[in-house]
Amino acid sequence: MARYLFAHPHRPVMYPRLPLHGLHILRQDYDKGKYDDHQITNKIAIFAHADHARDQKTRKSMDSIFDILNGVIIDYKVAQQNCIARHSTDAEIRTTFSATKRAVYLFALARFIDLQCANKPITIYQDSQPCIEVVESNAMSSRVKHTAVPVLYVHEQIAHDKIRMEYIKTAIQPAD
């Protein structure tokens, strides 16, 4: 938000006149009468997505994380991951780890400025079902043991009710 205000001092930031409770719908139309939709919270939410091995030169994955409040982007991150992911689930777990760190910060900020949604878990929308299953189950296996720290951190935040994971179809995922 600070970057936007610095770069655009004469452009107002517009927010809808909706309360911080309730839901709105994201919708992707395919053909006439065919669509996918998903209900999104109007509270603080985060959309997290990783493109596995996106950079053709280094084969590093890309993080794409959007922080949303009341259906409006308040901050975002699009960056290359620091290390090469072995598989797409590894890339998604690392992105979810980054999104969780942002969520913990936003959780504390919401409490500090006394938002109506303070003390409620922040929803992280993720389009990778294996990633969600790994971080929610807190199960380590020989396939994901190298991501133990991110998985344990995300699982701990879920256990402390700071975040919650929710699956969203890739076609509707704004961070994709």
Side-chain angles (χ1 to χ4, degrees), residues 90-171:
D90 183 17
E92 294 286 359
I93 288 170
R94 292 177 190 284
T95 299
T96 302
F97 176 59
S98 294
T100 301
K101 291 189 291 185
R102 296 169 75 88
V104 169
Y105 171 77
L106 290 172
F107 185 86
L109 180 66
R111 289 181 68 186
F112 180 75
I113 62 176
D114 200 25
L115 280 179
Q116 289 175 338
C117 61
N119 297 321
K120 303 257 193 293
I122 294 175
T123 303
I124 298 179
Y125 293 96
Q126 175 60 262
D127 63 353
S128 171
Q129 289 178 329
C131 171
I132 293 171
E133 289 175 16
V134 168
V135 298
E136 285 183 340
S137 69
N138 193 27
M140 293 292 107
S141 72
S142 61
R143 294 177 61 191
V144 293
K145 67 181 178 184
H146 58 282
T147 58
V149 172
V151 169
L152 293 173
Y153 181 78
V154 173
H155 184 74
E156 182 179 76
Q157 301 311 318
I158 292 170
H160 289 124
D161 283 332
K162 290 187 178 179
I163 67 163
R164 70 182 201 81
M165 301 296 297
E166 187 171 326
Y167 173 73
I168 187 169
K169 291 183 178 179
T170 303

